[in-house]
Amino acid sequence: MALEKKFDAAEAEARITDRWLSADAFKAGANASRADTYCVMIPPPNVTGVLHMGHAFNNTLQDILVRWHRMRGFDTLWQPGTDHAGIATQMVVERQLAETQQPKRTELGWEAFLQKVWDWKETSGGTIINQLKRLGASCDWSREAFTMSGAPGAPTGNDGNFHDAVIKVFVEMYNKGLIYRGKRLVNWDPHFETAISDLEVENIEVDGHMWHFKYPLEGGATYTYVEKDEDGNTTLSEERNYISIATTRPETMLGDGAIAVNPKDERYAPIIGKLCEIPVGPKDQRRLIPIIVDDYPDMDFGSGAVKITGAHDFNDYMVAKRAKLPMYALMDTKGAMRADGKPYAEVAAIARKIANGEQDFDEAMIAAMNLVPEAYRGLDRFEARRAVVADITAEGLAVMVPAHDPRLGKNAIKPVAPEEGGEAREDQEVPLVEPKKIMQPFGDRSKVVIEPMLTDQWFVDTDKIVGPALDAVKDGTVKILPESGEKTYYHWLENIEPWCISRQLWWGHQIPVWFDQNGNQFCATTEAQAQAEAGDNAVLTRDPDVLDTWFSSGLWPIGTLGWPEDTPELKKYFPTSDLITGQDILFFWVARMMMMQLAVVDQIPFDTIYLHGLVRDAKGKKMSKSTGNVIDPLDIIDEYGADALRFTNAAMASLGGALKLDTSRIAGYRNFGTKLWNAARFAEMNEGFGLRGDRPSPTKSVNTWIIGETAKTLEDVNAALATYRFNDAADALYKFVWGKVCDWYLELSKPLLMDGTDAEKAETRATLSWVLDQCLILLHPIMPFITEELWALAGHTTLLAHEDWPDYGTDLVDDAADQEMSWVIQIIENIRSTRAQMNVPAGLYVPLVQVEADAAAQTAWTGSEALIKRLARVDSLTVGDAPKGSMMVGTRGATFALPLADIIDVDAEKARISKSLAKVEKEAGGLRGRLSNPKFAANASEEVVEEAKSNLALREEEIAQLSAALAQLNEI
């Protein structure tokens, strides 16, 4: 059956995918012919997810390696699956309940709500898996894993043992003292009422304010406040009875434990150790807090004094721990000011004794104390902020400045002199409220402001398990690529904090700890075991929290292979081989997998970690819906086909390089696929397609040469993939298939196919068929769809996905043929280039004069004279001196002349090239001016500067070419 005019990706891709799946082409061990195993764990996408460019890029690289190893006969497993995505899934289901007017989660109750989640998972949770299949991902889909498989209430089809593995690990780590419950500061999402990880926090720059307030010194004490310039000269000296602070969150002042100043700050030396009064709350119940020293305050920022609110700020938390300060929690789980507990007057009196050192305290005591005055209790945190600011200002404890103070920004009022028709305003003062751009943390899903909150949570004592994970990278057992990732890895793990693993959600692995009526903890895999430990008389209540999804996904390598059972898959494929993932989750997932696997089974989870950056748009900007530059990979697949997207991903995957996705580049690689398809059509028309014979042993140089080029390309591709240089593999294949095969070999073979002897025709057809088969094989890991289609159309009955990867070497390179054909291609290119520069009509055949040629050049010409004349449009060759009015064409070992004086209008060509040269030189001058301007370098983005440099380089190259052409014309 004749090939269609073009490859219809939209029709073929689904059909080819069905063929692969029905043949179990990707099942673990498929096509294995050796004992070596190769296992890749897919970074599990959220079960709520849809394919984005990061997924498409990441999974393309994984698939390239998996297909390459499978074709090489490795016993291969690419383990697929999804993460249960606690917050995201709960949010999706709650939103669905609201949209369908069903009862809320709290109205349904725990069990009924979880059933709704499982129902959603069964009907809608497979979206991203099906989208990965569209990309061509060759996972063993029969082994699709889920991080909640086997959990209580899981329906049929979700009956794996991942839940059992998670619970077992928690219990074992708890019993070893590696997991504990404690009170620490965490990121708190008031919408979902749960702790969240740093990765689930988006820090966004917003317009904010910095309020300056006075904290009066105890008993009206005063001191001399002195400010000096850099030379030590006094610029301000005044008596003060207060210390001023600046804050962006006035509502948290209610929980202050101290004011901290830098020990080197001489301004505050006289009052260190004294007490000051928090300027808010009932006047007769004002709390006193100490003025302490700590290296944290920046003397040049604000007033240089910092309020320390340990329960509501991460930096303050560390200062409070160092100074052993009480950390008063002010807010409830919804982000409102606490309304519980004893009257404010009673707890404020206790807090005052603590500040005076008259009363000891412990964590439980402080946690029970609500230091929010009655006037603010129950208010939303932002309402409380407005009330606190208003009350402090009304009492006269805001720092006042002249109305024209520049720190007021747009609110500053320019003084108007009486002679200008206004009142003198030099003496008018207003509260100092600086408009500031601040980085505000938002929940990536809830979109509400995240509150640092001191809560009871479960933690992994990471200090006790981090050592082996560090050692495995330091001693080279595990390799991180690019190497810059190692520095980040060491920094995180050498400064690691306890890992908060509890979440206040309903969807997830419920923590296997029960409490009796006295608060005693009993950790067990089942309630029956916990009851046995507690005794029959104990009344147990299970901790309602669930585990952070990073905890369960930290067990992904062993959990998906059947652990804690000693399964054949676990024995065969663990430790796994390569992990390919984004550098943004190096700490959140990769490092935790390292720690968890080493802590649980005392083995590394993988040998090599390949880290890639964020896929950005063509200009290097982060993709976001707000800027409208998001590229949907499914739209790309619909328009250009999956192969074009995959080849683009491979081509931009340089180690540590920027990932800039340009749709014009994708279109170019679709054209590359079309070029391959047309090459197959050419071969079919010339009876050189699908001959399926052994590798030929040709006699003609052109055929011997292309076989050698194929061997060189195989070597390059193998070397590139072995070192994770996907871009080099793609580049080698592009240059070979498009440049060597399609552009040159097809043209060079035409004279033999058309006018050669029967033997030459047969040899060339066999070579053409074999070379095209090799193109399909070598391209298959990157472009699986079009290559699988052409493989089948060529008459192969087996899947290309299971074809053996070639093992021939560069001994197939024939040096003589290589040199000869390289010479032939060079002379043709040089003649074509000269013709193009001089505007010689494309179809015009011109004479050529051989000025000089060594023996090798003579032999090469003689062997390929017909080819050269045909492809370079040469009608005759004579030997002699260069005629007047000739353009010289040089090549290795020979010099030729093209007599053009009677063919082109020399004066017109000189004028044309001179005009073009002037234009390009002007453009280059403008670019040089921009790049040499210090303001441009300082203000322009890195991407803009690099683009300007690239454009200048192109202009300079064009200037050199035009100048050379003009010089030659001047010699005519």
Side-chain angles (χ1 to χ4, degrees), residues 441-473:
F442 289 85
D444 66 343
R445 300 189 190 282
S446 66
K447 306 305 179 186
V448 302
V449 176
I450 295 305
E451 189 67 41
M453 191 170 289
L454 196 62
T455 61
D456 288 314
Q457 302 289 343
W458 288 96
F459 295 91
V460 172
D461 193 347
T462 43
D463 273 346
K464 295 180 179 178
I465 63 172
V466 71
L470 275 167
D471 293 341
V473 175

Side-chain angles (χ1 to χ4, degrees), residues 171 182 184 196 209 288 291 307 435 468 476 479 694 714 748 758 775:
V171 173
R184 287 182 64 90
I196 61 174
H209 297 87
L288 293 175
I291 298 170
K307 62 187 237 25
K479 182 69 176 174
D694 294 333
L714 171 63
L748 295 171
D758 289 345
C775 289

Side-chain angles (χ1 to χ4, degrees), residues 580-697:
I580 297 179
T581 190
Q583 61 189 20
D584 56 326
I585 56 173
L586 173 60
F587 175 69
F588 292 97
W589 186 49
V590 181
R592 288 170 177 173
M593 277 193 290
M594 289 280 286
M595 290 189 290
M596 295 287 279
Q597 259 65 202
L598 285 163
V600 173
V601 295
D602 196 26
Q603 286 184 284
I604 59 169
F606 24 68
D607 300 322
T608 305
I609 302 164
Y610 176 100
L611 300 172
H612 60 78
L614 190 70
V615 179
R616 299 177 180 271
D617 70 9
K619 294 183 178 179
K621 294 182 179 179
K622 182 179 179 180
M623 294 185 193
S624 70
K625 292 180 181 178
S626 59
T627 54
N629 64 342
V630 173
I631 300 174
D632 187 332
L634 297 177
D635 291 342
I636 295 297
I637 291 173
D638 288 339
E639 183 172 358
Y640 300 104
D643 288 324
L645 175 59
R646 289 171 61 106
F647 202 97
T648 305
N649 287 334
M652 67 180 181
S654 59
L655 266 175
L659 306 179
K660 299 180 181 179
L661 186 69
D662 190 344
T663 51
S664 64
R665 195 174 184 184
I666 299 171
Y669 291 130
R670 177 189 58 185
N671 297 341
F672 175 60
T674 301
K675 192 82 169 179
L676 175 66
W677 186 268
N678 288 338
R681 292 186 68 224
F682 169 84
E684 183 185 51
M685 288 186 289
N686 287 279
E687 302 176 47
F689 183 61
L691 301 184
R692 301 192 306 283
D694 294 333
R695 184 177 68 246
S697 300

Side-chain angles (χ1 to χ4, degrees), residues 405-417:
D405 192 306
R407 289 176 293 177
L408 297 169
K410 293 180 180 179
N411 293 326
I413 303 172
K414 182 180 178 181
V416 181

Side-chain angles (χ1 to χ4, degrees), residues 632-819:
D632 187 332
L634 297 177
D635 291 342
I636 295 297
I637 291 173
D638 288 339
E639 183 172 358
Y640 300 104
D643 288 324
L645 175 59
R646 289 171 61 106
F647 202 97
T648 305
N649 287 334
M652 67 180 181
S654 59
L655 266 175
L659 306 179
K660 299 180 181 179
L661 186 69
D662 190 344
T663 51
S664 64
R665 195 174 184 184
I666 299 171
Y669 291 130
R670 177 189 58 185
N671 297 341
F672 175 60
T674 301
K675 192 82 169 179
L676 175 66
W677 186 268
N678 288 338
R681 292 186 68 224
F682 169 84
E684 183 185 51
M685 288 186 289
N686 287 279
E687 302 176 47
F689 183 61
L691 301 184
R692 301 192 306 283
D694 294 333
R695 184 177 68 246
S697 300
T699 59
K700 301 301 292 182
S701 294
V702 65
N703 292 326
T704 305
W705 163 77
I706 197 61
I707 287 175
E709 291 299 314
T710 307
K712 290 180 188 178
T713 303
L714 171 63
E715 182 179 51
D716 290 343
V717 171
N718 281 337
L721 293 182
T723 51
Y724 308 92
R725 292 179 288 109
F726 300 94
N727 60 313
D728 288 344
D731 183 59
L733 287 166
Y734 187 89
K735 289 176 178 176
F736 170 66
V737 175
W738 188 304
K740 298 292 174 63
V741 176
C742 297
D743 274 359
W744 283 110
Y745 179 64
L746 297 189
E747 289 298 319
L748 295 171
S749 68
K750 285 179 181 177
L752 293 173
L753 290 169
M754 294 177 181
D755 304 321
T757 65
D758 289 345
E760 289 171 341
K761 289 179 180 178
E763 168 191 309
T764 305
R765 288 169 182 153
T767 303
L768 176 57
S769 178
W770 181 84
V771 168
L772 283 177
D773 273 358
Q774 302 311 299
C775 289
L776 301 181
I777 294 168
L778 299 184
L779 275 171
H780 181 75
I782 302 179
M783 304 181 79
F785 289 105
I786 192 171
T787 54
E788 190 73 76
E789 180 79 338
L790 285 171
W791 187 258
L793 291 171
H796 297 282
T797 55
T798 57
L799 289 169
L800 177 54
H802 288 174
E803 180 65 17
D804 290 340
W805 190 257
D807 60 0
Y808 45 78
T810 52
D811 55 306
L812 296 183
V813 176
D814 183 303
D815 290 336
D818 190 49
Q819 291 182 20

Side-chain angles (χ1 to χ4, degrees), residues 445-571:
R445 300 189 190 282
S446 66
K447 306 305 179 186
V448 302
V449 176
I450 295 305
E451 189 67 41
M453 191 170 289
L454 196 62
T455 61
D456 288 314
Q457 302 289 343
W458 288 96
F459 295 91
V460 172
D461 193 347
T462 43
D463 273 346
K464 295 180 179 178
I465 63 172
V466 71
L470 275 167
D471 293 341
V473 175
K474 287 181 177 179
D475 66 19
T477 304
V478 176
K479 182 69 176 174
I480 297 179
L481 298 172
E483 289 185 2
S484 57
E486 291 185 6
K487 183 178 180 181
T488 304
Y489 182 85
Y490 297 146
H491 174 75
W492 276 337
L493 295 195
E494 288 169 352
N495 297 278
I496 198 165
E497 292 287 326
W499 170 17
C500 177
I501 58 171
S502 48
R503 297 292 182 265
Q504 291 63 51
L505 301 169
W506 287 11
W507 173 240
H509 300 279
Q510 191 174 357
I511 288 173
V513 175
W514 285 260
F515 299 91
D516 67 12
Q517 56 270 42
N518 299 317
N520 297 310
Q521 300 175 9
F522 301 93
C523 181
T525 54
T526 66
E527 184 172 3
Q529 291 174 356
Q531 190 71 61
E533 291 179 23
D536 294 338
N537 295 327
V539 179
L540 298 183
T541 303
R542 188 170 183 175
D543 192 312
D545 288 357
V546 300
L547 285 164
D548 172 22
T549 55
W550 294 110
F551 183 87
S552 49
S553 64
L555 299 173
W556 188 245
I558 55 174
T560 55
L561 294 174
W563 188 91
E565 296 176 24
D566 192 18
T567 63
E569 292 82 4
L570 190 65
K571 291 178 181 177

Side-chain angles (χ1 to χ4, degrees), residues 51-60 612-615 623 631 633:
L51 195 71
H52 57 60
M53 282 310 311
H55 292 134
F57 178 81
N58 177 276
N59 283 277
T60 295
H612 60 78
L614 190 70
V615 179
M623 294 185 193
I631 300 174

